Amino acid sequence: AADLWDVIQKRAHPDYQDPLQFFAGTHPTENLKRLVKDVAERLAGVEGVTFFYKIETGFGGGKTHVLIACVHVALNGGRLAEVLGEFEIRRLPEAWTVRVATFVGENASPLEGIELTVDGQTVRTYTPWGQLALMAGGLAGYEQVRENDLTGVAPTRDALERAFGDGPLLILMDELVLYMARCFAMPPDHPRGKINSQWTVFLQTLSTVASQRPKTAVLITLPSENDANARFTGDLKQHVAAALETINETENTAIRKASSLTPTQSTERGAVLARRLFSHVDQTQAQAVAEAYVKYYEDQRTTGAAIDNRAFESGYLEQLKRGYPFHPELIRLFAERLADIPEFQATRGALRL
């Protein structure tokens, strides 16, 4: 399974770790192309490009795939020019010039922290700002926010600027809500017990720094209730209501300078699955197969057979063509009916089935 932190730590499966293999198995959805294009151009110094993306999706919505794609583009830059031809990127960053600072809430703990080895020295960080500073600016960068990391207080703009240092920088923050839940469960008298009161200040500071810092892009993921994650998100909100209130504050703070994006639309899932499962799909057959299905449904209706009215909608032929080699009802099964299963991941679950 795709795991962003494994890719960052260079221990992921070759399908995800190797950029050529990764993009060979990746269907370029419209929003994936848009995001990768913007991130690449921003890191390469193109002016007027969105620098702060809020990626809204749940389990199986393509979030992890999008983040990994951006990591590969940031690190490999121009080496991927041929592979990324259809992304229409005006300029790619130079290979191995971009630093990638990542915070994955699923692997982080405000209580126990997480150990990272940088510049030959192992450091334990406890907050997003501490970990991002360490990964962006090394030991010198972390020293700028060490006290903020230990006390759980968001750093000032000047401290964050010094921590990030110079040069192109990609900042990724994933699964923040899980980290917020752990913060919410901490004893109130703990030295870092008030981290959840710092999100608005931190994100305001981060967005300001990133907007004025050349060749800097920020991606943050937030849970959505519009997909297979609905039940899980609903339960999580009930248990950590106070933590999730800050999610709404986060959106209101960042949205002024951010673009919101859902990586994979439901109409693209068929193409995503096909790219992952098959080395080649003969799309020249899609029209004939779609027309054969439409004719079959019409013939069945004339005999009095009970056929769902959806099969006779004006756009159904196009759905059959677009989803080939999968029938649109199979994709709809994954997107709608199976979405009621707690923690069912739309794309990953469909691949397994």
Side-chain angles (χ1 to χ4, degrees):
D3 188 296
L4 173 63
W5 191 244
D6 281 350
V7 171
I8 296 297
Q9 295 296 304
K10 297 180 171 57
R11 63 191 184 201
H13 188 279
D15 285 350
Y16 302 104
Q17 194 70 57
D18 182 271
L20 298 181
Q21 282 187 234
F22 175 81
F23 282 108
T26 298
H27 172 72
T29 66
E30 289 305 311
N31 279 343
L32 173 63
K33 289 192 290 186
R34 170 190 166 195
L35 178 60
V36 168
K37 173 181 168 67
D38 278 0
V39 168
E41 292 180 353
R42 173 72 181 177
L43 295 175
V46 176
E47 296 184 357
V49 179
T50 300
F51 70 93
F52 199 122
Y53 262 105
K54 181 170 69 74
I55 303 175
E56 185 175 351
T57 181
F59 285 127
K63 166 182 65 70
T64 304
H65 219 76
V66 161
L67 296 178
I68 293 174
C70 290
V71 169
H72 285 315
V73 170
L75 295 178
N76 294 276
R79 297 174 64 242
L80 299 177
E82 184 176 347
V83 175
L84 300 175
E86 61 183 307
F87 285 65
E88 299 180 349
I89 299 171
R90 289 174 290 178
R91 190 192 312 164
L92 284 159
E94 293 183 26
W96 310 117
T97 62
V98 178
R99 286 165 294 148
V100 178
T102 308
F103 181 84
V104 180
E106 185 177 13
N107 300 327
S109 168
L111 190 62
E112 301 172 356
I114 183 172
E115 287 189 343
L116 294 174
T117 301
V118 177
D119 301 335
Q121 184 172 331
T122 300
V123 178
R124 185 180 295 273
T125 64
Y126 300 91
T127 64
W129 41 92
Q131 185 168 322
L132 294 176
L134 179 64
M135 297 184 74
L139 296 177
Y142 180 67
E143 285 301 319
Q144 301 297 323
V145 300
R146 178 189 289 274
E147 287 303 313
N148 300 90
D149 186 51
L150 297 178
T151 60
V153 177
T156 64
R157 173 180 168 182
D158 288 344
L160 205 58
E161 287 177 342
R162 293 193 301 269
F164 287 167
D166 300 319
L169 176 62
L170 174 62
I171 297 172
L172 307 175
M173 289 187 290
D174 188 26
E175 304 287 7
L176 265 181
V177 66
L178 300 182
Y179 177 80
M180 289 178 173
R182 296 190 181 103
C183 292
F184 180 72
M186 291 179 70
D189 58 348
H190 190 278
R192 290 182 294 278
K194 296 183 179 180
I195 291 177
N196 273 344
S197 68
Q198 299 295 299
W199 293 113
T200 301
V201 173
F202 171 59
L203 286 163
Q204 285 176 335
T205 304
L206 178 64
S207 63
T208 299
V209 170
S211 67
Q212 300 182 15
R213 191 180 187 279
K215 300 182 179 181
T216 302
V218 178
L219 277 66
I220 178 173
T221 66
L222 295 175
S224 169
E225 291 186 304
N226 298 323
D227 56 17
N229 197 29
R231 181 173 296 179
F232 176 80
T233 300
D235 292 343
L236 188 58
K237 281 188 175 181
Q238 291 179 16
H239 293 300
V240 291
L244 286 174
E245 284 177 6
T246 62
I247 285 290
N248 294 327
E249 293 179 10
T250 293
E251 291 184 306
N252 293 334
T253 298
I255 197 64
R256 294 195 301 270
K257 300 178 181 179
S259 288
S260 182
L261 176 145
T262 301
T264 304
Q265 304 296 329
S266 59
T267 56
E268 297 173 308
R269 285 206 175 110
V272 170
L273 293 174
R275 186 71 169 255
R276 292 293 309 280
L277 291 174
F278 308 119
S279 60
H280 174 70
V281 174
D282 186 1
Q283 290 293 340
T284 63
Q285 301 299 313
Q287 181 73 30
V289 170
E291 291 176 352
Y293 265 109
V294 170
K295 183 178 184 305
Y296 171 76
Y297 293 141
E298 291 288 356
D299 291 345
Q300 291 299 303
R301 183 163 64 171
T302 60
T303 65
I307 303 294
D308 194 301
N309 288 332
R310 189 161 47 221
F312 306 106
E313 294 175 353
S314 59
Y316 203 69
L317 175 64
E318 185 60 31
Q319 290 184 44
L320 287 160
K321 289 168 53 181
R322 188 170 54 235
Y324 183 81
F326 299 105
H327 195 286
E329 298 307 317
L330 177 64
I331 303 303
R332 189 169 285 110
L333 172 68
F334 294 135
E336 297 177 5
R337 297 184 185 180
L338 297 184
D340 289 333
I341 301 175
E343 299 187 38
F344 178 78
Q345 299 185 342
T347 303
R348 199 173 300 172
L351 287 169
R352 287 171 175 163
L353 289 175

